[in-house]
Amino acid sequence: MATDLSPTSTLEAEHIRILYYEFERQLKTNYSSKNYIRFCSILEGSKFVSINKEKKFHYDQNSFIILSPFSEVELEINEKTKAFVMEIDDYFIRQIISKLQVELEEEEIKYIENEFFIAHFNPDLCEVHKKIVNIFNQNRLNKEFLLDLYSRELVYNILKYKGSEKIINNKKSKISAIIEFIESNYLGDLKISDIANYFGMREYEFSRYFKKFTGKSPKEYIKDLKLKKAKELLAFQNVTEVSFDVGYENISYFIKEFREKYGITPKEYKKII
C-alpha cells in the first residue's frame, strides 16, 4: 500500500486551512493533527481510521470526524476516495465559543472520546459544508473572506452537537498550556526566553519543541497573533495607535510586516473595512 499523504490542493484563509485529497489507490499511513482542530469529511469513497489507538472506524460522505490538536491517526483507504479537511484556528474557535449560546441538537454524537468524535451530518451542517466545498472549488473574488465567514457558521453548527465543545475546546499537553500563555501575554513585552523559563525549558529546546507541534517558530507565531489583532483594531483606531497597541515601537516596521502578511498596508486595509 502507498503511504504518501500529500494534499492534492490547499487553500489558506485567515482562520482556516483547507486540504483536499484525491486518493486513486490503496493507502495505509499515519499522521498527527498538530496544533489545529481538524474537521474531516469525505466527498467520495470512504476511510478506515483509528485515532489515538482507539478502535478502528469506517466513515463515508454521511459522517464527519472532529480531531483535537495533537491527535495521532492511523488511516487506511481501500477505494478511490476524495477527502476534504479543514484545519481551524484554535483562537478563532475560542472567540466563537465566548460569544455564542447555542441550542443543543437532540441527535447524540455517534462516538465520542476525549480527543475526537464522529457524527452524522445534520441538514444545517451539511448545507454549510457544501457551501464551503463549492467556494473552495470556485475561482472568485473574496474567496478567503467567504471561507472564513462560512467557517463561523460551520463551528456554530458543530457546537449544537451534544459534547462537541468538550472536544473542540479541549486543552491537552504542555504545548496547549504554552499557546494559552502566549495568547494571554503577546501584547506585552514577551520574550522567547521568558516563555521558555516559565515552562522550565532552555530557549533553543523550547523553540524546537514549539515548532515541532505548531509548524511555526515562537517568534512567527507571536507575530501572526499581533497582526491578526491589528486587523481587528484597525476597524476603530488609526494606524499609529494600532502599531503601539500591538507592541510595535517602530511604525514603519509594523507597516512592513503587515504588508508582507496581508499584501496591503494597514492604511489600505482601513479603506476596505
Side-chain angles (χ1 to χ4, degrees):
M1 284 190 177
T3 58
D4 180 53
L5 199 60
S6 300
T8 305
S9 59
T10 63
L11 178 64
E12 188 165 350
E14 183 174 358
H15 297 294
I16 65 166
R17 181 171 178 249
I18 294 175
L19 301 95
Y20 172 69
Y21 299 88
E22 290 187 359
F23 302 106
E24 299 290 339
R25 53 179 177 162
Q26 290 183 312
L27 178 142
K28 190 172 185 179
T29 189
N30 54 70
Y31 68 89
S32 169
S33 58
K34 294 193 175 181
N35 183 43
Y36 299 98
I37 297 292
R38 273 195 167 210
F39 177 91
C40 305
S41 61
I42 302 290
L43 305 183
E44 179 184 321
S46 63
K47 292 182 184 180
F48 290 93
V49 293
S50 174
I51 302 166
N52 298 325
K53 307 299 182 181
E54 295 289 336
K55 67 179 183 179
K56 185 183 290 186
F57 291 94
H58 178 260
Y59 80 108
D60 56 20
Q61 300 99 309
N62 298 312
S63 302
F64 64 93
I65 290 179
I66 301 291
L67 298 177
S68 286
F70 320 115
S71 296
E72 298 296 329
V73 181
E74 296 177 14
L75 169 67
E76 183 177 342
I77 295 174
N78 296 315
E79 61 180 317
K80 182 178 179 180
T81 297
K82 296 179 180 179
F84 192 83
V85 176
M86 295 175 62
E87 294 182 336
I88 308 174
D89 181 63
D90 184 55
Y91 176 70
F92 176 63
I93 290 172
R94 291 207 299 273
Q95 280 187 318
I96 295 172
I97 290 173
S98 69
K99 294 176 181 178
L100 291 181
Q101 291 184 342
V102 297
E103 295 182 4
L104 296 177
E105 295 288 341
E106 293 298 324
E107 181 182 3
E108 295 280 355
I109 290 170
K110 183 177 176 182
Y111 188 86
I112 184 167
E113 281 292 335
N114 288 331
E115 287 85 30
F116 73 95
F117 72 74
I118 179 170
H120 292 298
F121 279 100
N122 64 24
D124 290 340
L125 186 58
C126 185
E127 182 179 353
V128 69
H129 178 254
K130 286 180 179 178
K131 288 179 183 177
I132 291 171
V133 173
N134 288 338
I135 291 168
F136 175 77
N137 288 325
Q138 293 172 1
N139 185 15
R140 60 185 297 177
L141 293 173
N142 303 315
K143 188 172 182 175
E144 289 80 4
F145 170 80
L146 289 171
L147 287 172
D148 277 331
L149 180 66
Y150 286 123
S151 295
R152 291 181 183 273
E153 188 177 349
L154 181 93
V155 173
Y156 171 76
N157 280 288
I158 291 170
L159 287 168
K160 291 182 178 180
Y161 285 79
K162 291 181 180 178
S164 60
E165 184 176 343
K166 176 184 175 183
I167 304 300
I168 67 174
N169 201 28
N170 183 31
K171 303 296 177 189
K172 56 179 282 191
S173 80
K174 178 183 280 190
I175 191 66
S176 290
I178 290 170
I179 288 168
E180 186 171 359
F181 178 84
I182 290 173
E183 291 180 352
S184 298
N185 296 282
Y186 72 94
L187 293 177
D189 184 22
L190 188 62
K191 296 181 175 63
I192 307 303
S193 58
D194 293 337
I195 307 170
N197 289 336
Y198 184 86
F199 287 95
M201 304 170 75
R202 295 186 179 93
E203 185 173 346
Y204 77 89
E205 176 189 18
F206 167 75
S207 295
R208 288 177 60 188
Y209 175 83
F210 189 88
K211 189 166 186 176
K212 174 185 175 182
F213 285 104
T214 67
K216 297 179 181 179
S217 70
K219 185 177 179 181
E220 290 170 331
Y221 191 86
I222 292 169
K223 181 180 76 172
D224 285 350
L225 285 176
K226 288 184 175 186
L227 294 176
K228 281 183 182 180
K229 185 65 176 180
K231 288 183 76 174
E232 294 178 18
L233 296 178
L234 283 167
F236 50 87
Q237 292 181 225
N238 65 46
V239 175
T240 301
E241 290 172 334
V242 171
S243 175
F244 286 110
D245 283 353
V246 298
Y248 285 86
E249 296 181 0
N250 186 320
I251 189 171
S252 297
Y253 188 60
F254 165 66
I255 293 170
K256 174 179 176 292
E257 292 213 320
F258 190 97
R259 186 170 189 171
E260 287 177 353
K261 176 71 174 177
Y262 298 116
I264 57 175
T265 67
K267 186 176 181 179
E268 290 169 337
Y269 178 75
K270 277 186 70 68
K271 292 178 180 179
I272 63 174
I273 58 175

PDB file of all heavy atoms in Angstrom, residues 235-257:
ATOM      1  N   ALA A 235     -10.265  48.636  12.672  1.00  0.00           N
ATOM      2  CA  ALA A 235     -11.663  48.995  12.406  1.00  0.00           C
ATOM      3  C   ALA A 235     -12.064  50.274  13.135  1.00  0.00           C
ATOM      4  O   ALA A 235     -12.989  50.968  12.710  1.00  0.00           O
ATOM      5  CB  ALA A 235     -12.583  47.846  12.806  1.00  0.00           C
ATOM      6  N   PHE A 236     -11.355  50.602  14.245  1.00  0.00           N
ATOM      7  CA  PHE A 236     -11.769  51.781  15.015  1.00  0.00           C
ATOM      8  C   PHE A 236     -10.598  52.589  15.581  1.00  0.00           C
ATOM      9  O   PHE A 236     -10.798  53.493  16.383  1.00  0.00           O
ATOM     10  CB  PHE A 236     -12.707  51.369  16.160  1.00  0.00           C
ATOM     11  CG  PHE A 236     -12.194  50.244  17.014  1.00  0.00           C
ATOM     12  CD1 PHE A 236     -11.376  50.488  18.097  1.00  0.00           C
ATOM     13  CD2 PHE A 236     -12.529  48.933  16.714  1.00  0.00           C
ATOM     14  CE1 PHE A 236     -10.906  49.461  18.882  1.00  0.00           C
ATOM     15  CE2 PHE A 236     -12.061  47.887  17.497  1.00  0.00           C
ATOM     16  CZ  PHE A 236     -11.249  48.149  18.587  1.00  0.00           C
ATOM     17  N   GLN A 237      -9.357  52.282  15.177  1.00  0.00           N
ATOM     18  CA  GLN A 237      -8.202  53.066  15.607  1.00  0.00           C
ATOM     19  C   GLN A 237      -7.352  53.422  14.395  1.00  0.00           C
ATOM     20  O   GLN A 237      -7.408  52.752  13.355  1.00  0.00           O
ATOM     21  CB  GLN A 237      -7.343  52.271  16.602  1.00  0.00           C
ATOM     22  CG  GLN A 237      -7.997  52.027  17.949  1.00  0.00           C
ATOM     23  CD  GLN A 237      -7.086  51.251  18.896  1.00  0.00           C
ATOM     24  OE1 GLN A 237      -7.518  50.326  19.552  1.00  0.00           O
ATOM     25  NE2 GLN A 237      -5.826  51.628  18.957  1.00  0.00           N
ATOM     26  N   ASN A 238      -6.535  54.473  14.533  1.00  0.00           N
ATOM     27  CA  ASN A 238      -5.651  54.816  13.422  1.00  0.00           C
ATOM     28  C   ASN A 238      -4.408  53.928  13.438  1.00  0.00           C
ATOM     29  O   ASN A 238      -4.157  53.193  14.403  1.00  0.00           O
ATOM     30  CB  ASN A 238      -5.283  56.307  13.440  1.00  0.00           C
ATOM     31  CG  ASN A 238      -4.458  56.706  14.661  1.00  0.00           C
ATOM     32  OD1 ASN A 238      -3.502  56.030  15.025  1.00  0.00           O
ATOM     33  ND2 ASN A 238      -4.831  57.819  15.286  1.00  0.00           N
ATOM     34  N   VAL A 239      -3.633  53.993  12.371  1.00  0.00           N
ATOM     35  CA  VAL A 239      -2.508  53.081  12.185  1.00  0.00           C
ATOM     36  C   VAL A 239      -1.462  53.241  13.289  1.00  0.00           C
ATOM     37  O   VAL A 239      -0.928  52.251  13.801  1.00  0.00           O
ATOM     38  CB  VAL A 239      -1.866  53.295  10.796  1.00  0.00           C
ATOM     39  CG1 VAL A 239      -0.607  52.437  10.643  1.00  0.00           C
ATOM     40  CG2 VAL A 239      -2.866  52.967   9.694  1.00  0.00           C
ATOM     41  N   THR A 240      -1.179  54.469  13.681  1.00  0.00           N
ATOM     42  CA  THR A 240      -0.180  54.705  14.724  1.00  0.00           C
ATOM     43  C   THR A 240      -0.608  54.085  16.051  1.00  0.00           C
ATOM     44  O   THR A 240       0.181  53.414  16.729  1.00  0.00           O
ATOM     45  CB  THR A 240       0.053  56.215  14.910  1.00  0.00           C
ATOM     46  OG1 THR A 240       0.490  56.779  13.672  1.00  0.00           O
ATOM     47  CG2 THR A 240       1.109  56.472  15.974  1.00  0.00           C
ATOM     48  N   GLU A 241      -1.865  54.292  16.422  1.00  0.00           N
ATOM     49  CA  GLU A 241      -2.374  53.722  17.674  1.00  0.00           C
ATOM     50  C   GLU A 241      -2.310  52.202  17.657  1.00  0.00           C
ATOM     51  O   GLU A 241      -1.889  51.571  18.636  1.00  0.00           O
ATOM     52  CB  GLU A 241      -3.827  54.172  17.888  1.00  0.00           C
ATOM     53  CG  GLU A 241      -3.975  55.649  18.222  1.00  0.00           C
ATOM     54  CD  GLU A 241      -5.429  56.087  18.230  1.00  0.00           C
ATOM     55  OE1 GLU A 241      -6.257  55.441  17.536  1.00  0.00           O
ATOM     56  OE2 GLU A 241      -5.740  57.072  18.919  1.00  0.00           O
ATOM     57  N   VAL A 242      -2.713  51.618  16.544  1.00  0.00           N
ATOM     58  CA  VAL A 242      -2.710  50.158  16.435  1.00  0.00           C
ATOM     59  C   VAL A 242      -1.288  49.619  16.538  1.00  0.00           C
ATOM     60  O   VAL A 242      -1.026  48.629  17.222  1.00  0.00           O
ATOM     61  CB  VAL A 242      -3.364  49.711  15.114  1.00  0.00           C
ATOM     62  CG1 VAL A 242      -3.162  48.206  14.897  1.00  0.00           C
ATOM     63  CG2 VAL A 242      -4.845  50.048  15.115  1.00  0.00           C
ATOM     64  N   SER A 243      -0.360  50.276  15.863  1.00  0.00           N
ATOM     65  CA  SER A 243       1.034  49.844  15.882  1.00  0.00           C
ATOM     66  C   SER A 243       1.556  49.719  17.312  1.00  0.00           C
ATOM     67  O   SER A 243       2.145  48.700  17.689  1.00  0.00           O
ATOM     68  CB  SER A 243       1.897  50.827  15.090  1.00  0.00           C
ATOM     69  OG  SER A 243       3.266  50.498  15.198  1.00  0.00           O
ATOM     70  N   PHE A 244       1.316  50.735  18.129  1.00  0.00           N
ATOM     71  CA  PHE A 244       1.795  50.707  19.515  1.00  0.00           C
ATOM     72  C   PHE A 244       0.996  49.731  20.371  1.00  0.00           C
ATOM     73  O   PHE A 244       1.548  49.050  21.238  1.00  0.00           O
ATOM     74  CB  PHE A 244       1.758  52.111  20.112  1.00  0.00           C
ATOM     75  CG  PHE A 244       2.854  53.007  19.601  1.00  0.00           C
ATOM     76  CD1 PHE A 244       2.570  54.068  18.754  1.00  0.00           C
ATOM     77  CD2 PHE A 244       4.183  52.776  19.941  1.00  0.00           C
ATOM     78  CE1 PHE A 244       3.584  54.890  18.272  1.00  0.00           C
ATOM     79  CE2 PHE A 244       5.209  53.586  19.465  1.00  0.00           C
ATOM     80  CZ  PHE A 244       4.910  54.649  18.618  1.00  0.00           C
ATOM     81  N   ASP A 245      -0.309  49.632  20.121  1.00  0.00           N
ATOM     82  CA  ASP A 245      -1.154  48.763  20.943  1.00  0.00           C
ATOM     83  C   ASP A 245      -0.832  47.283  20.751  1.00  0.00           C
ATOM     84  O   ASP A 245      -1.071  46.473  21.651  1.00  0.00           O
ATOM     85  CB  ASP A 245      -2.633  49.009  20.635  1.00  0.00           C
ATOM     86  CG  ASP A 245      -3.146  50.286  21.287  1.00  0.00           C
ATOM     87  OD1 ASP A 245      -2.388  50.887  22.081  1.00  0.00           O
ATOM     88  OD2 ASP A 245      -4.291  50.685  20.998  1.00  0.00           O
ATOM     89  N   VAL A 246      -0.321  46.910  19.581  1.00  0.00           N
ATOM     90  CA  VAL A 246       0.035  45.500  19.370  1.00  0.00           C
ATOM     91  C   VAL A 246       1.526  45.241  19.584  1.00  0.00           C
ATOM     92  O   VAL A 246       2.022  44.154  19.288  1.00  0.00           O
ATOM     93  CB  VAL A 246      -0.402  44.996  17.970  1.00  0.00           C
ATOM     94  CG1 VAL A 246      -1.908  45.066  17.825  1.00  0.00           C
ATOM     95  CG2 VAL A 246       0.297  45.745  16.847  1.00  0.00           C
ATOM     96  N   GLY A 247       2.228  46.253  20.096  1.00  0.00           N
ATOM     97  CA  GLY A 247       3.598  46.013  20.533  1.00  0.00           C
ATOM     98  C   GLY A 247       4.705  46.393  19.577  1.00  0.00           C
ATOM     99  O   GLY A 247       5.855  45.986  19.764  1.00  0.00           O
ATOM    100  N   TYR A 248       4.390  47.197  18.548  1.00  0.00           N
ATOM    101  CA  TYR A 248       5.433  47.661  17.625  1.00  0.00           C
ATOM    102  C   TYR A 248       5.835  49.080  18.008  1.00  0.00           C
ATOM    103  O   TYR A 248       5.022  49.999  17.966  1.00  0.00           O
ATOM    104  CB  TYR A 248       4.928  47.659  16.181  1.00  0.00           C
ATOM    105  CG  TYR A 248       4.840  46.292  15.545  1.00  0.00           C
ATOM    106  CD1 TYR A 248       3.708  45.501  15.712  1.00  0.00           C
ATOM    107  CD2 TYR A 248       5.887  45.792  14.768  1.00  0.00           C
ATOM    108  CE1 TYR A 248       3.613  44.249  15.127  1.00  0.00           C
ATOM    109  CE2 TYR A 248       5.804  44.539  14.177  1.00  0.00           C
ATOM    110  CZ  TYR A 248       4.665  43.775  14.358  1.00  0.00           C
ATOM    111  OH  TYR A 248       4.576  42.531  13.776  1.00  0.00           O
ATOM    112  N   GLU A 249       7.089  49.270  18.358  1.00  0.00           N
ATOM    113  CA  GLU A 249       7.581  50.609  18.675  1.00  0.00           C
ATOM    114  C   GLU A 249       7.926  51.385  17.410  1.00  0.00           C
ATOM    115  O   GLU A 249       7.914  52.613  17.401  1.00  0.00           O
ATOM    116  CB  GLU A 249       8.806  50.512  19.588  1.00  0.00           C
ATOM    117  CG  GLU A 249       8.488  49.905  20.955  1.00  0.00           C
ATOM    118  CD  GLU A 249       9.704  49.850  21.852  1.00  0.00           C
ATOM    119  OE1 GLU A 249      10.789  50.290  21.411  1.00  0.00           O
ATOM    120  OE2 GLU A 249       9.568  49.364  22.994  1.00  0.00           O
ATOM    121  N   ASN A 250       8.237  50.653  16.339  1.00  0.00           N
ATOM    122  CA  ASN A 250       8.598  51.275  15.067  1.00  0.00           C
ATOM    123  C   ASN A 250       7.438  51.105  14.093  1.00  0.00           C
ATOM    124  O   ASN A 250       7.159  49.997  13.632  1.00  0.00           O
ATOM    125  CB  ASN A 250       9.869  50.612  14.518  1.00  0.00           C
ATOM    126  CG  ASN A 250      10.391  51.291  13.268  1.00  0.00           C
ATOM    127  OD1 ASN A 250       9.620  51.698  12.404  1.00  0.00           O
ATOM    128  ND2 ASN A 250      11.711  51.413  13.166  1.00  0.00           N
ATOM    129  N   ILE A 251       6.748  52.191  13.773  1.00  0.00           N
ATOM    130  CA  ILE A 251       5.561  52.104  12.925  1.00  0.00           C
ATOM    131  C   ILE A 251       5.905  51.652  11.504  1.00  0.00           C
ATOM    132  O   ILE A 251       5.132  50.940  10.864  1.00  0.00           O
ATOM    133  CB  ILE A 251       4.793  53.448  12.905  1.00  0.00           C
ATOM    134  CG1 ILE A 251       3.451  53.268  12.190  1.00  0.00           C
ATOM    135  CG2 ILE A 251       5.618  54.544  12.272  1.00  0.00           C
ATOM    136  CD1 ILE A 251       2.537  54.459  12.313  1.00  0.00           C
ATOM    137  N   SER A 252       7.075  52.041  11.011  1.00  0.00           N
ATOM    138  CA  SER A 252       7.484  51.630   9.664  1.00  0.00           C
ATOM    139  C   SER A 252       7.661  50.110   9.595  1.00  0.00           C
ATOM    140  O   SER A 252       7.298  49.473   8.597  1.00  0.00           O
ATOM    141  CB  SER A 252       8.789  52.324   9.263  1.00  0.00           C
ATOM    142  OG  SER A 252       8.606  53.718   9.196  1.00  0.00           O
ATOM    143  N   TYR A 253       8.206  49.543  10.663  1.00  0.00           N
ATOM    144  CA  TYR A 253       8.394  48.088  10.705  1.00  0.00           C
ATOM    145  C   TYR A 253       7.043  47.379  10.792  1.00  0.00           C
ATOM    146  O   TYR A 253       6.835  46.331  10.174  1.00  0.00           O
ATOM    147  CB  TYR A 253       9.272  47.727  11.900  1.00  0.00           C
ATOM    148  CG  TYR A 253       9.690  46.279  11.935  1.00  0.00           C
ATOM    149  CD1 TYR A 253      10.427  45.723  10.890  1.00  0.00           C
ATOM    150  CD2 TYR A 253       9.347  45.466  13.010  1.00  0.00           C
ATOM    151  CE1 TYR A 253      10.809  44.390  10.914  1.00  0.00           C
ATOM    152  CE2 TYR A 253       9.722  44.134  13.047  1.00  0.00           C
ATOM    153  CZ  TYR A 253      10.451  43.602  11.994  1.00  0.00           C
ATOM    154  OH  TYR A 253      10.823  42.276  12.016  1.00  0.00           O
ATOM    155  N   PHE A 254       6.114  47.969  11.549  1.00  0.00           N
ATOM    156  CA  PHE A 254       4.761  47.415  11.623  1.00  0.00           C
ATOM    157  C   PHE A 254       4.106  47.397  10.244  1.00  0.00           C
ATOM    158  O   PHE A 254       3.524  46.386   9.826  1.00  0.00           O
ATOM    159  CB  PHE A 254       3.913  48.244  12.595  1.00  0.00           C
ATOM    160  CG  PHE A 254       2.434  47.986  12.485  1.00  0.00           C
ATOM    161  CD1 PHE A 254       1.902  46.750  12.824  1.00  0.00           C
ATOM    162  CD2 PHE A 254       1.576  48.980  12.027  1.00  0.00           C
ATOM    163  CE1 PHE A 254       0.533  46.508  12.716  1.00  0.00           C
ATOM    164  CE2 PHE A 254       0.212  48.752  11.916  1.00  0.00           C
ATOM    165  CZ  PHE A 254      -0.307  47.511  12.264  1.00  0.00           C
ATOM    166  N   ILE A 255       4.207  48.502   9.517  1.00  0.00           N
ATOM    167  CA  ILE A 255       3.606  48.590   8.180  1.00  0.00           C
ATOM    168  C   ILE A 255       4.234  47.554   7.250  1.00  0.00           C
ATOM    169  O   ILE A 255       3.541  46.889   6.470  1.00  0.00           O
ATOM    170  CB  ILE A 255       3.768  50.018   7.613  1.00  0.00           C
ATOM    171  CG1 ILE A 255       2.927  51.000   8.439  1.00  0.00           C
ATOM    172  CG2 ILE A 255       3.374  50.069   6.138  1.00  0.00           C
ATOM    173  CD1 ILE A 255       3.195  52.464   8.129  1.00  0.00           C
ATOM    174  N   LYS A 256       5.554  47.402   7.339  1.00  0.00           N
ATOM    175  CA  LYS A 256       6.270  46.436   6.502  1.00  0.00           C
ATOM    176  C   LYS A 256       5.780  45.011   6.767  1.00  0.00           C
ATOM    177  O   LYS A 256       5.483  44.257   5.830  1.00  0.00           O
ATOM    178  CB  LYS A 256       7.769  46.538   6.777  1.00  0.00           C
ATOM    179  CG  LYS A 256       8.629  45.496   6.070  1.00  0.00           C
ATOM    180  CD  LYS A 256      10.106  45.711   6.401  1.00  0.00           C
ATOM    181  CE  LYS A 256      10.987  44.633   5.779  1.00  0.00           C
ATOM    182  NZ  LYS A 256      10.763  43.305   6.400  1.00  0.00           N
ATOM    183  N   GLU A 257       5.675  44.633   8.048  1.00  0.00           N
ATOM    184  CA  GLU A 257       5.264  43.266   8.381  1.00  0.00           C
ATOM    185  C   GLU A 257       3.794  43.030   8.036  1.00  0.00           C
ATOM    186  O   GLU A 257       3.425  41.937   7.596  1.00  0.00           O
ATOM    187  CB  GLU A 257       5.519  42.992   9.863  1.00  0.00           C
ATOM    188  CG  GLU A 257       6.995  42.939  10.212  1.00  0.00           C
ATOM    189  CD  GLU A 257       7.305  41.968  11.329  1.00  0.00           C
ATOM    190  OE1 GLU A 257       6.514  41.896  12.288  1.00  0.00           O
ATOM    191  OE2 GLU A 257       8.337  41.270  11.235  1.00  0.00           O
TER     192      GLU A 257
END
